[in-house]
Amino acid sequence: MIKQFVESRWFHNFVITVILINGAVLGIETTRGLSATTVNWLERIDQLCLLVFVVELLMKMYVYRLAFFKRGWNVFDFVIVGIALLPTTGELSILRAFRIFRLLRLVSTVDSIRRVVAGMLLAIPGVGSVAGLLLIFFYIGAVISTTMFGETFPDWFGNLGYSMYTLFQIMTLESWSMGIVRPVMDIYPYAWVFFIPFIAVTTFTVLNLFIGIIVDAIATVKEQDESSRNQQHSSKEDIDLIRQDLNALREHLEALIKDKERNT
């Protein structure tokens, strides 16, 4: 009965509502000039929300036992709530700011958000490869720009570190034209031959690879969820059919036993 209660849809929606209320309360508490009464009520609501989270986790741990910790999202919730239970007085008062991490429980509670995070985690190997490729382009660009423009523009291209930071700004398209490239072109008219291909490769090609890998990973996670859901549904249907067959067989046996008793 507790398992059905914990896994019910209305309880799931109730937890999401409490998470949103708790996040709103923590945000309101940062407002300056609140009255003592208001602050007191907000703290009571915050404590009540924390109590709901603790009770929820205790019920799940009671239902699933050690299997509770085999699921990564349950461990995530356990850590988030555990941080909220740490003392927030004295030298540890700074930990009060970490209470907002309870809002991260939406990651494990809302399926759509969970799929996005799972997709991003699944995309880490591919993203790492693209990041390595991007780093190679940055290093090559930094060496070229330092050699070509370093003496005239030491603040932007004085060494490899300055050059990589400047190239990162150019990649983000933040004041890249009027702020950096055009002043450089006033001294080196053909500097666009370097900057335009660099922007095309890094901004429009490599960054799109990041997006493509993450989108593909999210689609993969969604397909896995749908496949798992379909398997659970088919398993439930098979169990129902087996139960129906067993009930029919039991009724048939009871009928045979009754006929035998009548004949004797």
Side-chain angles (χ1 to χ4, degrees):
M1 186 176 65
I2 298 177
K3 183 177 181 181
Q4 292 177 351
F5 177 79
V6 169
E7 296 179 350
S8 64
R9 188 64 187 175
W10 77 266
F11 183 75
H12 178 78
N13 293 333
F14 171 73
V15 172
I16 292 177
T17 302
V18 174
I19 292 172
L20 293 175
I21 292 174
N22 190 224
V25 168
L26 295 176
I28 295 172
E29 283 184 340
T30 62
T31 305
R32 297 180 182 274
L34 294 176
S35 64
T37 304
T38 302
V39 172
N40 187 36
W41 275 105
L42 290 174
E43 289 181 351
R44 289 185 180 182
I45 295 173
D46 177 55
Q47 293 298 321
L48 182 61
C49 292
L50 179 59
L51 178 61
V52 171
F53 297 147
V54 171
V55 172
E56 178 208 6
L57 287 181
L58 289 177
M59 287 193 298
K60 286 184 176 180
M61 293 172 67
Y62 175 78
V63 170
Y64 301 115
R65 310 292 172 141
L66 293 178
F68 173 87
F69 295 99
K70 294 181 179 180
R71 190 184 179 201
W73 293 113
N74 288 336
V75 177
F76 176 81
D77 292 341
F78 182 83
V79 172
I80 293 298
V81 176
I83 291 174
L85 292 174
L86 293 176
T88 57
T89 57
E91 296 180 355
L92 297 177
S93 60
I94 192 174
L95 294 176
R96 289 181 61 86
F98 295 131
R99 294 180 302 165
I100 192 60
F101 282 123
R102 276 180 257 168
L103 196 61
L104 288 176
R105 293 207 57 212
L106 287 173
V107 173
S108 62
T109 307
V110 181
D111 291 338
S112 58
I113 301 178
R114 180 182 56 80
R115 279 196 294 267
V116 171
V117 175
M120 293 178 67
L121 294 176
L122 184 64
I124 286 178
V127 169
S129 300
V130 176
L133 179 62
L134 185 62
L135 182 61
I136 293 173
F137 281 122
F138 262 84
Y139 182 76
I140 294 173
V143 172
I144 294 174
S145 59
T146 302
T147 303
M148 295 177 61
F149 316 126
E151 293 184 3
T152 309
F153 300 94
D155 291 340
W156 294 341
F157 304 103
N159 54 45
L160 285 179
Y162 288 172
S163 296
M164 293 188 77
Y165 182 82
T166 302
L167 292 177
F168 180 81
Q169 178 182 343
I170 293 173
M171 183 192 70
T172 61
L173 303 180
E174 174 63 28
S175 302
W176 72 273
S177 180
M178 300 302 296
I180 296 175
V181 175
R182 287 191 181 277
V184 174
M185 288 178 62
D186 290 338
I187 308 298
Y188 304 96
Y190 296 101
W192 62 270
V193 176
F194 165 74
F195 289 111
I196 297 301
F198 178 82
I199 293 173
V201 171
T202 58
T203 303
F204 300 115
T205 303
V206 177
L207 290 184
N208 282 332
L209 286 176
F210 277 109
I211 298 173
I213 291 172
I214 293 174
V215 170
D216 182 67
I218 292 174
T220 301
V221 171
K222 185 176 181 181
E223 290 177 0
Q224 292 175 350
D225 287 348
E226 291 178 352
S227 177
S228 177
R229 195 178 298 111
N230 292 333
Q231 289 179 356
Q232 291 178 355
H233 183 69
S234 62
S235 299
K236 185 178 180 181
E237 289 181 346
D238 293 339
I239 292 173
D240 292 338
L241 290 174
I242 293 173
R243 287 177 177 174
Q244 292 177 4
D245 293 339
L246 289 175
N247 290 332
L249 182 61
R250 184 178 60 186
E251 292 176 356
H252 182 67
L253 288 175
E254 290 178 352
L256 289 177
I257 293 172
K258 290 181 179 179
D259 291 340
K260 186 176 181 180
E261 290 176 351
R262 290 174 184 173
N263 293 332
T264 55

